[in-house]
Amino acid sequence: MSTSTNDKNAQRAIDYMSGARYKGEYKNGKRHGFGKLTLSNGSFYEGRFVENEKHGFGIYKWSNGAIYEGEFAHDQPHGKGKLTSRSGDIYDGVWANGKRHGQGTTTWKDGNAYEGLYDQNEKHGFGKHTWKDKGSTYAGTWEHNTPHGRGRYQYGNDDVYEGAFKQGKRHGQGKLTYANGDIYEGEYAEDLKHGTGRFSWANGDSYYGQFSNGLPEGTGEYIWASKDAPETSTSPVEERISKSEKKHTRKISSRHSGESRHSSQSDSLLKNIPSSSFYSETF
């Protein structure tokens, strides 16, 4: 290691054996105050240091073009900060110990976006995810990157489901309003109508009774809205509901393409950003 000055508590330029270079304030033999640390691979940090650690506001730019601007504590993003990946994905929000944690907004380069709460890099708590490529949105509670709890999902074909979710599937009490005006309100299990529910058609006809695996099964009552209803009590309930379901996009996009359900390692935002880059460098 070589230095350009021996003055204590002064500006110094230091070249390390690893090829890294520091230029900035020094105190008691440590990087302390404002300075710029450039690594041998071209990555650099410019901002506040406290006893050799990145601490306070700073900018970290990786050699691949990714950049973080915001608060640091003990060498890691902590507080408010903005991370832009080399592909153009952006997270702007709160960090804790190097992870997205708290309120934040992630915008992917394809136009998809999430705004809400994070917990240890995962969508967790209330948030809204918009899939621009699918034309769908989900606003509600999340658990481990998946819709879980109460929420509202609008599908790309304008069908809307409001109700309970469990691990990314409709499960519990809910209401599905089809784009053509048909409505189902009742119980769901594993994404299918299952239990007691009412299916109302846009023309006023309705069926109230038991459902199993998405279709009427067991005891139920069919009510005709028209005075010209057939005399027979038999009605094509199953056939009519099946037709509505065929037009409905059932699958819920519980996560952004390229983003792992349970791990941030496959998250396109954090991809190719070594976590070790946020830690103290060894020279």
Side-chain angles (χ1 to χ4, degrees):
M1 179 178 73
S2 63
T3 64
S4 61
T5 177
N6 291 321
D7 292 338
K8 200 172 183 179
N9 303 331
Q11 289 281 332
R12 303 182 74 173
I14 304 173
D15 295 310
Y16 298 91
M17 293 181 63
S18 65
R21 178 179 175 82
Y22 173 76
K23 185 176 182 180
E25 294 179 284
Y26 234 71
K27 182 179 180 181
N28 297 327
K30 296 181 179 180
R31 299 186 294 273
H32 193 93
F34 186 84
K36 181 177 181 179
L37 177 64
T38 304
L39 305 183
S40 59
N41 65 1
S43 299
F44 70 84
Y45 168 79
E46 186 171 14
R48 304 294 301 179
F49 286 88
V50 174
E51 295 189 344
N52 275 342
E53 293 184 327
K54 307 172 193 70
H55 199 94
F57 184 84
I59 298 174
Y60 197 112
K61 186 171 183 179
W62 287 263
S63 57
N64 66 8
I67 185 169
Y68 171 83
E69 303 175 73
E71 297 292 326
F72 283 81
H74 304 296
D75 269 336
Q76 299 188 67
H78 191 90
K80 189 75 168 61
K82 179 180 179 181
L83 173 66
T84 304
S85 74
R86 67 174 183 175
S87 64
D89 300 335
I90 297 172
Y91 171 76
D92 192 355
V94 181
W95 297 75
N97 300 318
K99 295 182 178 181
R100 293 170 292 180
H101 192 87
Q103 186 71 26
T105 300
T106 299
T107 305
W108 287 270
K109 64 178 181 179
D110 57 11
N112 295 350
Y114 170 80
E115 182 177 2
L117 291 172
Y118 280 89
D119 186 347
Q120 300 292 309
N121 273 340
E122 294 183 326
K123 296 187 283 287
H124 197 94
F126 186 85
K128 180 180 180 180
H129 198 132
T130 301
W131 290 268
K132 185 177 180 181
D133 53 345
K134 301 179 185 298
S136 56
T137 61
Y138 170 77
T141 55
W142 296 74
E143 186 173 289
H144 303 303
N145 277 338
T146 305
H148 189 89
R150 299 288 301 179
R152 181 182 189 273
Y153 195 101
Q154 181 166 339
Y155 298 84
N157 63 354
D158 289 332
D159 291 350
V160 176
Y161 171 80
E162 297 180 80
F165 288 84
K166 183 179 180 181
Q167 297 178 352
K169 296 181 179 180
R170 296 169 297 189
H171 193 94
Q173 193 71 21
K175 179 180 180 181
L176 176 62
T177 303
Y178 296 84
N180 66 359
D182 295 345
I183 296 173
Y184 170 78
E185 187 167 7
E187 295 177 290
Y188 279 86
E190 293 292 317
D191 222 25
L192 296 173
K193 303 175 185 68
H194 195 90
T196 304
R198 180 184 298 278
F199 198 106
S200 303
W201 285 269
N203 69 348
D205 294 349
S206 66
Y207 167 82
Y208 178 80
Q210 296 300 306
F211 286 79
S212 179
N213 296 320
L215 294 172
E217 183 175 294
T219 305
E221 180 184 16
Y222 189 93
I223 301 175
W224 297 91
S226 173
K227 295 180 180 179
D228 300 325
E231 294 181 1
T232 175
S233 60
T234 304
S235 60
V237 180
E238 185 172 326
E239 180 182 348
R240 293 185 70 185
I241 292 178
S242 295
K243 288 181 179 179
S244 296
E245 278 298 299
K246 287 180 181 179
K247 297 177 182 178
H248 172 61
T249 305
R250 179 181 298 162
K251 187 174 181 181
I252 294 174
S253 301
S254 62
R255 60 187 184 273
H256 178 269
S257 57
E259 180 176 313
S260 171
R261 182 173 180 176
H262 297 296
S263 172
S264 64
Q265 292 179 352
S266 298
D267 189 332
S268 60
L269 178 71
L270 303 179
K271 191 176 182 180
N272 297 321
I273 297 178
S275 59
S276 59
S277 296
F278 285 135
Y279 294 86
S280 299
E281 290 78 7
T282 302
F283 304 110

